[in-house]
Amino acid sequence: MTDTALVTGASGFVGSAVARVLVARGLKVKVLMRPTASRANIDGLDVEPVIGDMRDADSMALAMDGARYLFHVAADYRLWARDPNEIERNNLEGARATMQAALKSGVERVVYTSSVAALKPGNGEAVDETSRHSPQSVIGAYKRSKLVAEREVERMIRHEKLPAVIVAPSTPIGPRDIKPTPTGRVIVEAATGKMPAFVDTGLNLVHVDDVAEGHLLALDKGKIGENYILGGEDVTLETMLADIAAMAGRRAPKVKLPRGPLFALAYGGEAVARVTGKEPFITVDALRMSRYRMFFSSAKAKAQLGYRARPYREGLSDALGWFGSNGYLS
């Protein structure tokens, strides 16, 4: 009998990549989807869609029926919302309801997708899983939401014997970024010549398919209760934009902007967004976060799981190829 895995968030960027590696492994894969979710990322994939909502314990219990493994990848991944508390509620309630359903259904093993957003960046150096934020030190609704959700999962591992391994992807890039994610938006804007300048910041970029393979390694080799960063390469924003420009046949931006004057632009953009409902390209929280270089070490995942990540430029190339063939760059 083929083992069954349930994946939440499989219509999205990371979730669809996880579903793909599980299908390739030969598992029967069920994918939890909201009624309104696009199925473009799972078209042609041998999976069983199940309609439900990660925040609803009853629908999660039904979705988990017969599943041996759970991959909880779904998240409200927005850096801005009219009501920032909505992001925190969605991710915390989603994690809580999903993990409670996993306990009730007797799932053998859970891989919970957190994020390096729940970790405290250093002063330019790469930090590891021990660099922990507090709810007071974290910046922005999304990062706070991932932090409180991760803490709830940790509590359930300790006190309710939840059989979960936690993984923390850094910043994934690559194909099937359908929404696109905030980083995907930067790639599209840069490739179409709409980012003539930049601020001095940095991030850790990883191919989305390597993140997905890391989830499978966490299932096979991860220790219950442990957290593993699934990252790639530390890159400055200046380098990233120059690489995108080279791949897109454009001139790399040379203007480095001070953050201070941009806050007025961000506040103005958010005021407009509250009327239109469309997420602004630059937000106040993103500017605050840009003071830090989001550099992270995957040494623990490499040593304990055998995790490996390809050069980040391959992720950029795959992302640009996918965006181009799907009409995002026209």
Side-chain angles (χ1 to χ4, degrees):
M1 181 176 169
T2 304
D3 290 330
T4 299
L6 173 67
V7 182
T8 68
S11 64
F13 184 35
V14 176
S16 62
V18 171
R20 278 176 160 72
V21 298
L22 295 175
V23 169
R25 163 70 70 91
L27 294 173
K28 178 183 177 183
V29 179
K30 297 165 72 176
V31 294
L32 182 84
M33 308 191 76
R34 289 175 297 164
T36 56
S38 167
R39 299 196 178 191
N41 268 351
I42 58 166
D43 276 352
L45 200 59
D46 185 16
V47 296
E48 176 191 341
V50 181
I51 301 302
D53 190 305
M54 68 173 180
R55 299 164 298 182
D56 181 66
D58 291 338
S59 69
M60 286 310 309
L62 285 171
M64 242 170 275
D65 184 45
R68 183 177 180 185
Y69 309 122
L70 166 67
F71 290 80
H72 182 46
V73 190
D76 184 343
Y77 184 17
R78 292 178 292 166
L79 298 185
W80 180 89
R82 276 195 182 113
D83 175 11
N85 292 325
E86 183 182 41
I87 301 173
E88 185 170 334
R89 284 195 304 271
N90 287 342
N91 286 332
L92 177 57
E93 291 172 12
R96 184 179 288 140
T98 304
M99 297 304 119
Q100 286 173 346
L103 283 168
K104 287 179 182 176
S105 66
V107 165
E108 182 180 311
R109 199 163 175 87
V110 175
V111 178
Y112 171 74
T113 309
S114 184
S115 169
V116 294
L119 296 172
K120 191 173 186 178
N123 294 317
E125 75 278 9
V127 301
D128 62 17
E129 295 83 354
T130 63
S131 185
R132 289 164 69 89
H133 259 309
S134 70
Q136 292 72 41
S137 66
V138 74
I139 298 171
Y142 173 71
K143 286 178 178 270
R144 188 166 55 253
S145 77
K146 294 303 289 184
L147 177 72
V148 296
E150 181 184 287
R151 295 292 181 269
E152 176 64 6
V153 172
E154 290 174 340
R155 185 196 66 77
M156 295 178 77
I157 292 168
R158 287 193 307 270
H159 298 296
E160 300 181 38
K161 301 295 185 279
L162 177 72
V165 179
I166 299 171
V167 293
S170 59
T171 304
I173 54 175
R176 302 177 302 275
D177 189 357
I178 196 166
K179 198 173 180 179
T181 60
T183 313
R185 289 175 69 194
V186 169
I187 294 171
V188 168
E189 294 288 312
T192 51
K194 296 173 185 171
M195 282 195 69
F198 55 90
V199 295
D200 181 16
T201 191
L203 62 170
N204 184 284
L205 295 167
V206 59
H207 197 295
V208 69
D209 292 341
D210 293 332
V211 171
E213 289 290 345
H215 280 69
L216 202 56
L217 290 167
L219 177 73
D220 293 339
K221 301 178 182 179
K223 184 178 176 183
I224 299 299
E226 291 293 324
N227 189 333
Y228 301 93
I229 293 172
L230 304 179
E233 288 186 58
D234 293 326
V235 184
T236 64
L237 179 60
E238 181 177 10
T239 298
M240 176 188 175
L241 295 178
D243 287 338
I244 294 168
M247 291 177 189
R250 292 187 174 273
R251 188 172 295 174
K254 299 293 185 185
V255 179
K256 188 180 293 187
L257 297 174
R259 261 174 287 272
L262 294 176
F263 278 98
L265 188 65
Y267 280 114
E270 290 189 12
V272 171
R274 278 190 284 275
V275 176
T276 64
K278 186 178 179 182
E279 186 173 336
F281 184 70
I282 184 169
T283 68
V284 174
D285 284 339
L287 273 178
R288 287 175 179 150
M289 286 186 280
S290 73
R291 291 192 181 104
Y292 305 94
R293 293 195 172 191
M294 262 62 91
F295 290 169
F296 297 94
S297 168
S298 301
K300 180 179 175 181
K302 290 176 181 177
Q304 297 186 19
L305 306 181
Y307 171 75
R308 293 292 181 268
R310 72 197 78 182
Y312 100 93
R313 286 180 180 85
E314 291 184 27
L316 268 188
S317 177
D318 287 352
L320 285 166
W322 188 87
F323 283 134
S325 62
N326 286 274
Y328 289 74
L329 305 183
S330 58

